[in-house]
Amino acid sequence: MSVLVYVGANEGTSLSGMVHGYERVYAFEPDPITFQTLKSRLGNNPNITLVNAACAEEEGETDFFILPCRASSSMSIPDDDFIAHCENEGNLDAIEVSEPITVKTINLCEYLQGEGVTHIDYYVSDIQGFDLKVLKTMSPYLESGDIDELYMETHGDNQKCYVGLTNDLSSFKELLSDTHEIEYISLGRFGGRRIAEEGLDSIPQQNDKGELEFDVKWKKK
């Protein structure tokens, strides 16, 4: 059975274009308002399981900080590099954090094992700085070779986007080096332009620390 796991599905815009290629889809979104839009868009599909929870290291509850652009909301607050980026863009309002709300958390690996998922064809993660932490909880699937492809939001090696969170490319490479290799890097600020890893050093830099964030596609070795 082909399985797609999408962590941080937001309103389901990207997910909608992917679901038809899979027999089972598991999508996770912690923001209750955003989740309602996701549910209205995809909730009637019997092959899709929608979960209103944040994927984290353990089951429970946590603070979730809402930003004006709700897609940038996170379980942490913006760090200095993110603030500096918004300041350079003349958009400091984008990082004005509201009072946190409380959201449910789950351990993704335990949840999927409970659902009887033994193999993941495609794993997508866009969770604003928590991608690496959650991926580490998926080590049983990684070590057994049971995730074929991954597509994850990643931060530049010298960038700190959210307070207390490490989500940089080098750390992903350290975790995945035995099982997966980079297929390409997708640059959001260039309309999703795809480059090889070495191309990161050749693109016009956002600042003296390099690219703030980008998406990386990995494939199993």
Side-chain angles (χ1 to χ4, degrees), residues 7 27 44 56 68 91-92 101 113 122 151-152 165-166 195-196 210 215:
V7 187
N44 291 326
N91 194 21
L92 275 174
I101 62 173
Q113 289 173 336
Y122 200 16
Y151 188 82
M152 296 175 291
L165 299 181
T166 299
I195 61 171
D215 296 305

Side-chain angles (χ1 to χ4, degrees), residues 124-194:
V124 180
S125 177
D126 185 0
I127 48 176
Q128 307 308 312
F130 256 81
D131 308 84
L132 182 63
K133 279 183 175 290
V134 173
L135 184 63
K136 286 180 178 179
T137 72
M138 296 292 289
S139 58
Y141 286 94
L142 292 171
E143 291 168 3
S144 62
D146 283 309
I147 302 181
D148 289 344
E149 298 179 297
L150 307 98
Y151 188 82
M152 296 175 291
E153 184 178 63
T154 308
H155 299 155
D157 282 346
N158 299 313
Q159 303 279 3
K160 292 292 184 183
C161 292
Y162 292 90
V163 172
L165 299 181
T166 299
N167 209 53
D168 59 272
L169 180 58
S170 290
S171 296
F172 278 105
K173 289 171 65 177
E174 182 178 355
L175 177 63
L176 294 170
S177 60
D178 291 337
T179 58
H180 292 77
E181 60 188 2
I182 294 175
E183 184 174 344
Y184 61 80
I185 290 171
S186 176
L187 302 171
R189 71 186 180 101
F190 291 101
R193 171 183 165 194
R194 297 180 180 181

Side-chain angles (χ1 to χ4, degrees), residues 82-95:
F82 193 0
I83 293 171
H85 167 72
C86 291
E87 186 175 26
N88 290 337
E89 296 288 319
N91 194 21
L92 275 174
D93 290 344
I95 51 172

Side-chain angles (χ1 to χ4, degrees), residues 63-76:
D63 286 342
F64 190 71
F65 298 91
I66 303 295
L67 297 182
C69 174
R70 297 188 81 97
S72 296
S73 301
S74 173
M75 288 180 280
S76 184

